[in-house]
Amino acid sequence: MIKSINHLSNHYLQIKKEELLELSKNTPKYYNTFIKKQVKPDGRVKRREITEACGLLKRTHKLILKNVLQKIDFPSPPFIGGLKKKDNILNAYFHQGKPHKFCTDLKNFYPHINNKMVYKAFVNRGFSADVSSILTKLTTNKGGLIQGGVNSTHIAYLTIWNTAQKLLEICDKEEIVFTIYVDDMTFSSSHDFKELSLELRDIIIEGGFFVNHDKTFYTKGKADITGVKVGQNTLNVKDDFREKLNNIDGLNDKQKAGLEMYYERVVTYGRTK
């Protein structure tokens, strides 16, 4: 990996070392923070604080993503969400045909990841200490990983990498499929592993992450996984999406085409197993 700031600045980020060091000291002035509202199907309004980079920092973030983070191999499974050409449908597809499922959600995933965790993650991947420090300063704000940043998902995956490897060791041994879709973790198998699910949960907690107990469950049979209904031999859209699909008269042609295309992708994926 990258061993010197000179190499990072000149080869990867296309910026003079002096400018890079100055930027890393003054990142707060390059951020805009705003509240994004999201209306859930049940009418609830969820508010998230989004931090957006601007100017030189925004350009640098894009180069970090393209020239640094996207060069790291994130194997799928387990890593799915937020990666190029890997979406929620693919994530659900991995669990099709596996009747026993354990699902959990990492609570406050991005806000929980602090700059110490980010720095350690870069060092563990072979970046030198000074390069890891610069990258951490460039990609965190107010002591933590920014929510809404172009690099945030890749960096979050780096921080959870060692925990994921521990989970994979058990899952490979026990014939369990394991995927991570941003803050959603899903485990599935052809056999009952309910007792083992507690051990899997404990490994996540021991790794320094919080489990959202309201979104943690073990089930047998059909289940909704990252917005897709997963059955034994099929994938299908959720009921609220189907309702939208059946009431498209008020939508424009682009919106109709988008809904129909998504539906076709889901059911087509389901036929390929």
Side-chain angles (χ1 to χ4, degrees), residues 193-261:
F193 64 100
K194 187 172 184 178
E195 291 186 5
L196 191 60
S197 66
L198 297 176
E199 181 180 345
L200 298 174
R201 182 205 61 187
D202 288 344
I203 290 173
I204 297 168
I205 295 171
E206 288 166 6
F209 298 90
F210 299 120
V211 168
N212 187 338
H213 295 287
D214 292 336
K215 296 181 179 180
T216 299
F217 61 91
Y218 186 95
T219 188
K220 181 181 179 182
K222 293 182 179 180
D224 291 344
I225 297 175
T226 53
V228 177
K229 294 173 72 171
V230 180
Q232 184 67 19
N233 300 306
T234 60
L235 295 181
N236 215 324
V237 295
K238 293 176 65 175
D239 293 341
D240 57 344
F241 184 89
R242 186 176 293 280
E243 186 175 339
K244 289 181 184 178
L245 198 62
N246 293 334
N247 295 277
I248 61 176
D249 292 340
L251 303 179
N252 60 44
D253 291 342
K254 185 177 180 180
Q255 291 171 323
K256 291 177 183 178
L259 290 175
E260 290 168 351
M261 187 180 299

Side-chain angles (χ1 to χ4, degrees), residues 47-244:
R47 292 174 173 84
R48 291 193 307 159
E49 183 177 280
I50 301 297
T51 302
E52 184 178 65
C54 60
L56 180 58
L57 185 60
K58 183 175 182 178
R59 172 186 174 276
T60 304
H61 277 187
K62 289 180 179 179
L63 290 171
I64 291 173
L65 177 65
K66 179 182 177 182
N67 297 333
V68 180
L69 296 172
Q70 288 185 343
K71 302 297 183 183
I72 299 172
D73 179 33
F74 291 89
S76 301
F79 301 103
I80 308 291
L83 303 178
K84 190 177 287 187
K85 297 182 180 179
K86 298 173 183 179
D87 61 10
N88 65 309
I89 304 173
L90 176 64
N91 186 68
Y93 172 79
F94 277 115
H95 301 283
Q96 183 183 341
K98 305 292 190 297
H100 300 272
K101 303 175 184 73
F102 173 57
C103 303
T104 190
D105 174 271
L106 302 179
K107 191 173 184 179
N108 296 324
F109 186 40
Y110 291 130
H112 169 66
I113 297 171
N114 60 45
N115 50 9
K116 292 180 180 180
M117 296 168 72
V118 173
Y119 172 79
K120 184 178 178 181
F122 280 123
V123 170
N124 287 343
R125 292 298 300 181
F127 294 87
S128 67
D130 53 354
V131 169
S132 297
S133 179
I134 289 290
L135 288 173
T136 300
K137 290 176 181 177
L138 291 171
T139 56
T140 59
N141 186 43
K142 297 179 181 178
L145 191 61
I146 62 175
Q147 184 130 323
V150 295
N151 300 303
S152 293
T153 299
H154 287 74
I155 294 173
Y157 284 165
L158 290 180
T159 67
I160 204 169
W161 189 281
N162 289 342
T163 298
Q165 298 311 304
K166 291 178 182 178
L167 293 169
L168 276 174
E169 287 180 15
I170 296 175
C171 291
D172 288 346
K173 181 180 178 182
E174 300 294 334
E175 297 182 340
I176 298 170
V177 176
F178 163 47
T179 63
I180 306 174
Y181 189 85
V182 189
D183 56 358
D184 288 311
M185 287 189 173
T186 307
F187 305 82
S188 66
S189 180
S190 299
H191 62 270
D192 189 349
F193 64 100
K194 187 172 184 178
E195 291 186 5
L196 191 60
S197 66
L198 297 176
E199 181 180 345
L200 298 174
R201 182 205 61 187
D202 288 344
I203 290 173
I204 297 168
I205 295 171
E206 288 166 6
F209 298 90
F210 299 120
V211 168
N212 187 338
H213 295 287
D214 292 336
K215 296 181 179 180
T216 299
F217 61 91
Y218 186 95
T219 188
K220 181 181 179 182
K222 293 182 179 180
D224 291 344
I225 297 175
T226 53
V228 177
K229 294 173 72 171
V230 180
Q232 184 67 19
N233 300 306
T234 60
L235 295 181
N236 215 324
V237 295
K238 293 176 65 175
D239 293 341
D240 57 344
F241 184 89
R242 186 176 293 280
E243 186 175 339
K244 289 181 184 178

